[in-house]
Structure formats: C-alpha cells, structure tokens
Amino acid sequence: MRVLVIGGGGREHAIVDACARHGHEVLCTPGNPGIAAQARIIAGPQDADSLAELAVQEGVDVVIVGPEAYLAAGVVDACRARAVPAFGSTRAASRLEGDKAWSKAFMNRYGIPTAQHRAFSGLQDALTYAATCSLPTVIKDAGLRAGKGVTIAHSYAEAEAALQDIFTQPGAQAVIEDFMTGQEVSMLALTDGQRYALTPPSQDHKTIFEGDVGPMTGGMGVICPFPLPDEALAVIRSDIIERTLAGMRSEGLPYTGVLYAGLMLTPAGPKVVEFNARFGDPEAEAVLPLLTSDLAQHALDAARGELNPAAVQFGAAASAVVILAAPGYPGEPQKGIPLTLPPTGVGETIYHAGTALQDGQLISSGGRVLAVTATAETLSAALGRAYALADRIGFEGAQCRRDIGSRIGAVPESAPDSTPV
Ligand code: GLY
C-alpha cells in the first residue's frame, strides 16, 4: 500500500514507523529528519486542497492525518471530496477538540461524564465567575493551543493571569471547570464512526516539572499500558466512547479517525477531561510500538467505514516514552542545539519531534525535541531502557522529567545492555 502521513512531529514519526514496519511505502509531508529514514519526504504547501491534490497525484491508497490543525483545516474533507480515503476526523467533527465550549456542551447533551463547567466569551464575566470558584480551578482556552491552553490555577491571581492571556486573542472563549482529582488516563479509539477499537490505556505527564508542577506542556512522557481496572474500562466504553460516537452521529457529525479521550479516574468514576481528535503526542509514541497489526490497513478500513475491531491487535509488552525538551520549553524553546544520536537496540526508538538538519548537522528546532521510547516485557524494564537511552543522548540544556511512571509506583529498572541495530 502507498500511505501518505501528514505532519512532522514525534507522533507522525511513530505513525510512519508503524506503517513502514508492515512493508508499506510511506510518504510524509512535511516530515522531519528522523522520518526521512523511513519515508519519502515531500515538501510543499500544507493547505487542505494542496495536500489532497498531492494524495491524488501520488496515487496514495490512504492518507493518515496526524496533527489537529490539519483536521481543523479540513484535510480529511478535501481528500474525501477527491475520493481519496483519509483517516482522521472531518473539519466539523474535529470541533470536539477544537472548540472546548462546544465539546463540553456536547458532553452534557449526551450524559458523558465530565467536570462541571461554565463557558465565557468575555473577560469580565469570566473573571467574576473565577473569583467565586474554589481552588484549584481549571482555566481552558476553548480553542486549539497545542496542548498548552490549560492552566490549573492554585490562586485567583493565577486564574486571572490565565484568563487575561486567553482574552488577548480576538474572538476567544474560555472554559472554567471544576478541578478533578485522580489518576489521568489517555484512551485512544480507532473508529469508522460506528465500530471502534481501543488501544491499551496510557498515561501522559503534562507539566514540565517533576511532581506534576509547573506550566503545562504537550506532554513530557508516557507509560503504556496504564493498569486500568475492568470496571473503569467498562464505563469508559459504554458511557464515554460509545455515547460520544452515537452522539456525534445524532448531531450529523459522524466521527471517524482517532477519538482521544483524556480521562480522570475520579472517586466517582472515569470522567472526561477533554477530547482530542487525533492520536495523542507522545501517547502515539508509546502505543503504536505495541501495535502488532497493520495500522495502514486499519486506517484504510476505517476511512471506508469498514473497521474490523477484532483485527486491531497489541502485543503483551509495555512501553515508556521519555521526552527530551529544549531549554526554555514550554515557553520560547532554544533552537539550533547540536544533537548526536546514539545507536538504538531492539525495542528502542528515538522519535524525532522537533529536529532539523543544518549543513548536515542534526539540531533542535522545537520545544519537544526527541521522544525516546523503549518497549520491554514490564513497565519497569521499559522505563529503565528509555531513561538509559535518553541519558546517552543528553544534549545541552535538555529538560527531561525523571519521574515518568511514578504516579503508579513504576520504578525504572536498570537497563540491560542493549544490542545496537
Ligand atoms: N499528550 C497530550 C496531547 O496529545 O494532547
């Protein structure tokens, strides 16, 4: 099969890797230097019509769209208008991620468990309401902010600053919601709108600093699988995933692609923190290495409305992702730092997230630079191998959380000597 992957971060590197290891010919735009080892990189315009035309010209069998911005720009719609199968949500359905005020109202309409909230389109009303909330309170930008539009405000001054920041943008909306306690879990469902297959549950670590403090990032590390109790899984299936897919069909917005439910396992059961319309990043880098079946085939089946959930298979192993981020991230990241990557062993992958080539030298070019992934028979072993590999990279000023997995008590095992491949 010829597959076109759209995007150029760690998630897309993991998608390309999953397709390439099943022998597919993979094209990617805009890609990155890591992806270039496994796919033909195509430069060019990134608007929806140009990308759909590219898919036609290249005669691809299926397009897989990574980042949310491309979904919101209508890449899937543009492909479908040209009869090119595309795996992802339509522009209208991606509102589930792109408009958090709409998404929360949708959850309330269909009885999908989530935190109490209020939405605001003006700063003054939002400030007045925030001043009445108990702390901590959660302030969200209703629009897309690359995973960084959420503030958990522990003081009213922090809530005010977050709201001021949101309302500097024209047409902004803010959502203020109750803070939920519990373990956070990411559940991804591949879906054709009707049928779905869940990936193993995973857990991201979203703040920049250890101990879950500091500003939010796109995600600093992931463990997979998260040990989810059966009762919670049953509720997630029936009350969250199935109600969402049914609700989207009722709204006339059948949801296809990846439904990412960001969940909190509260004392009252699992509740939705947010929906995303795509693979998580770095969840994809943890989940996809465990996929033993063929992602490109599932994507094509789902795009045709023919997903076979039983065919979606994962190995029994565990995986861990440790992010190496540039100094300055999640603020202004330092770019241009030289990177030297060591050889990797079996079950180890260094996914490129924010890298570029300059005069033949690999350099950092974004906030999250590398997603260092390892799989192993146990989570502790996977963590041990991921940290050992990350320590062999260790570029100047790299930020790396050392506590990935600690929320569930997973401790990195010392890594065995690995065999370079
Ligand atoms: N890892 C969080 C996200 O993809 O939004």
Side-chain angles (χ1 to χ4, degrees), residues 50-180:
S50 302
L51 291 166
E53 279 303 318
L54 174 68
V56 171
Q57 281 158 22
E58 292 286 349
V60 306
D61 297 293
V62 63
V63 175
I64 303 179
V65 184
E68 58 274 24
Y70 291 90
L71 298 166
V75 171
V76 169
D77 312 65
C79 289
R80 287 188 188 164
R82 292 163 176 82
V84 176
F87 182 65
S89 57
T90 61
R91 178 184 185 153
S94 72
R95 200 172 181 195
L96 206 52
E97 170 170 4
D99 181 347
K100 298 211 184 309
W102 185 87
S103 184
K104 293 289 290 190
F106 168 86
M107 288 183 238
N108 288 344
R109 278 200 292 287
Y110 293 95
I112 297 161
T114 188
Q116 297 283 337
H117 82 287
R118 294 267 307 267
F120 298 91
S121 45
L123 174 62
Q124 207 46 56
D125 287 347
L127 288 174
T128 305
Y129 176 71
T132 68
C133 293
S134 48
L135 296 172
T137 190
V138 181
I139 312 285
K140 291 182 176 173
D141 189 325
L144 290 177
R145 292 285 294 268
K148 288 177 275 179
V150 178
T151 301
I152 298 174
H154 292 269
S155 69
Y156 292 110
E158 222 181 324
E160 184 176 331
L163 288 166
Q164 300 270 15
D165 177 50
I166 291 169
F167 285 104
T168 53
Q169 304 159 94
Q173 272 199 302
V175 170
I176 302 178
E177 64 183 46
D178 292 351
F179 178 73
M180 295 188 282

Side-chain angles (χ1 to χ4, degrees), residues 11 68 97 146-147 186 204 206 217-220 222 260 274 276 278-283 368:
R11 164 184 44 215
E68 58 274 24
E97 170 170 4
S186 301
D204 191 8
K206 294 212 176 82
T217 70
M220 290 297 290
V222 173
Y260 165 155
E274 64 177 5
N276 293 317
R278 50 175 171 81
F279 281 111
D281 189 353
E283 285 91 336
R368 290 183 295 173

Side-chain angles (χ1 to χ4, degrees), residues 6-7 29 52 70 90 100 124 126 131 167 181 219 224 253 259 281 286 305 322 327 342 345 353 363 368 373 414 421:
I6 295 178
T29 181
Y70 291 90
T90 61
K100 298 211 184 309
Q124 207 46 56
F167 285 104
T181 54
C224 182
L253 302 171
L259 175 63
D281 189 353
V322 174
I363 56 166
R368 290 183 295 173
T373 301
S414 59
V421 288

Side-chain angles (χ1 to χ4, degrees), residues 3-8 11-17 19 26-31 35 39-40 51 60 62-67 295:
V3 185
L4 173 62
V5 176
I6 295 178
R11 164 184 44 215
E12 290 73 39
H13 194 173
I15 293 171
V16 165
D17 186 34
C19 296
V26 190
L27 321 181
C28 184
T29 181
I35 291 174
R40 174 153 63 91
L51 291 166
V60 306
V62 63
V63 175
I64 303 179
V65 184
L295 177 64

